[in-house]
Amino acid sequence: MSIAGGHQRAVEAAADLGFDCVQLFSKNSNQWKAKPISPEDAALFRETLLKRNISHPLIHDSYLINLGSAKEDLYEKSVEAFLDELRRAETLGVPYLVMHPGTPTGDASGDPVESGLKRIAAALDRVFEALEKDRPQRPDRTDVLLETTAGQGANLGWSFDHLARIIELSRHPDRLGVCVDTCHIHAAGYPIIEKQDYETTFASFDRVIGLNRLKAFHLNDSVKGLDCRVDRHAPIGHGTLGLEPFRHLLNDPRFREIPMYLETPKGTTEIDGVTLDWDAVNLKTLRSLILS
């Protein structure tokens, strides 16, 4: 949800559409820096969450950040920016910051995947340790969710093994969880349409990473097909995933308490001559899939 006019605006927009959780950026997602969040702004955000009965706020980091880069200037700039993202999330009292792991740009090593994963883990450790130094002044702790990616280009994180390796390499594995994006895992080659495939995919996730680390879902249909490695979201039921994967997820007792967020395309659609917000349409579609 947009934060134009203040972070509380995202909460209000989510509540007005009927959602009970919200994901937002803490600043412009295509800018490196932003003015600090004032105590007054943070208090208003927290008050609005309570007033509008919105739980599980989640922040997504800037798309510019690349903790996997082998280019020193970009890597250092990304570490600094990610530290700022976590500080902003803690100021707002948000429990998780979700991030795309990164891309090994400029890596000339023989194994850019492994070296990229090592850089990501090292960057996360630096950020966590920097935060611990000013912990007495920061009562709220924000942990990091590694998002599954589509594997577009050289992006890391499309394989469950990538995320497991980052967690293994980190000195602070207790600070790391995972956010599963349905479009992304489909694009990365993990089938979830047929019930047996769905069960096999999440059995693999449990074996490689552990379901205990799964803290959030992004619910998105996919424009492209299985194993396409293209990150392009579609409205629920209007892409190559269809409705079945979402029916499986929404009725899976293992995931009943895990928050799920829409990242489907914004805008409006016309249904029976009535113009409706796509977010409201997607939410209604998802709720219709829940078995009573």
Side-chain angles (χ1 to χ4, degrees):
M1 291 294 179
S2 171
I3 60 169
H7 296 89
Q8 80 283 357
R9 295 295 186 192
V11 179
E12 292 169 349
D16 288 345
L17 287 166
F19 291 90
D20 51 22
C21 61
V22 65
Q23 177 178 268
L24 62 151
F25 293 102
S26 74
K27 61 182 181 62
N28 188 311
S29 62
N30 290 308
Q31 292 183 1
W32 285 102
K33 294 183 178 180
K35 68 176 182 180
I37 298 170
S38 70
E40 294 76 17
D41 289 341
L44 180 57
F45 176 76
R46 296 178 193 227
E47 289 167 8
T48 307
L49 286 170
L50 291 172
K51 181 179 179 181
R52 300 304 302 271
N53 199 28
I54 297 292
S55 60
H56 304 291
L58 180 68
I59 288 179
H60 199 300
D61 75 337
S62 167
Y63 293 134
L64 299 176
I65 293 171
N66 183 3
L67 299 182
S69 179
K71 297 179 179 179
E72 186 175 357
D73 56 343
L74 176 57
Y75 184 72
E76 292 300 325
K77 193 173 185 178
S78 294
V79 171
E80 180 182 351
F82 195 73
L83 174 57
D84 181 58
E85 290 274 12
L86 268 175
R87 284 180 168 146
R88 295 171 70 83
E90 289 190 345
T91 297
L92 291 170
V94 174
Y96 294 114
L97 173 68
V98 65
M99 53 93 77
H100 295 178
T103 306
T105 53
D107 194 316
S109 71
D111 189 352
V113 170
E114 177 65 10
S115 56
L117 297 175
K118 287 180 177 178
R119 282 191 295 273
I120 293 165
L124 291 169
D125 286 345
R126 283 176 57 184
V127 167
F128 292 143
E129 287 158 19
L131 282 170
E132 284 305 313
K133 291 180 180 179
D134 58 8
R135 178 58 54 204
Q137 287 75 45
R138 314 192 71 80
D140 293 302
R141 184 176 112 166
T142 298
D143 289 333
V144 171
L145 300 186
L146 306 169
E147 183 176 343
T148 56
T149 68
Q152 189 161 305
N155 287 346
L156 301 172
W158 60 267
S159 167
F160 295 160
D161 291 314
H162 291 176
L163 305 186
R165 182 63 173 151
I166 293 170
I167 295 167
E168 177 187 30
L169 289 166
S170 174
R171 294 190 295 270
H172 304 278
D174 60 308
R175 302 293 304 269
L176 299 172
V178 174
C179 173
V180 168
D181 186 302
T182 53
C183 168
H184 294 175
I185 61 172
H186 175 69
Y190 290 101
I192 55 173
I193 297 174
E194 300 299 331
K195 186 62 183 296
Q196 184 56 54
D197 289 337
Y198 168 88
E199 295 294 349
T200 298
T201 288
F202 280 99
S204 174
F205 183 99
D206 191 28
R207 183 176 63 256
V208 175
I209 299 174
L211 286 175
N212 61 309
R213 290 197 184 271
L214 207 171
K215 303 298 183 181
F217 282 99
H218 286 164
L219 301 186
N220 303 299
D221 210 325
S222 177
V223 172
K224 302 291 184 178
L226 181 69
D227 205 20
C228 63
R229 300 292 183 88
V230 175
D231 182 0
R232 191 173 172 196
H233 300 182
I236 304 298
H238 290 261
T240 58
L241 277 169
L243 296 178
E244 288 311 300
F246 305 103
R247 195 188 314 274
H248 302 328
L249 275 172
L250 291 166
N251 295 290
D252 192 327
R254 296 172 297 180
F255 306 139
R256 188 168 292 144
E257 302 300 320
I258 296 178
M260 301 180 181
Y261 307 83
L262 281 173
E263 286 187 329
T264 43
K266 298 292 184 181
T268 59
T269 184
E270 190 170 299
I271 299 177
D272 297 330
V274 179
T275 300
L276 300 171
D277 188 292
W278 260 123
D279 281 339
V281 172
N282 286 317
L283 179 61
K284 183 178 180 180
T285 299
L286 288 168
R287 285 183 171 158
S288 74
L289 300 175
I290 300 173
L291 299 176
S292 57

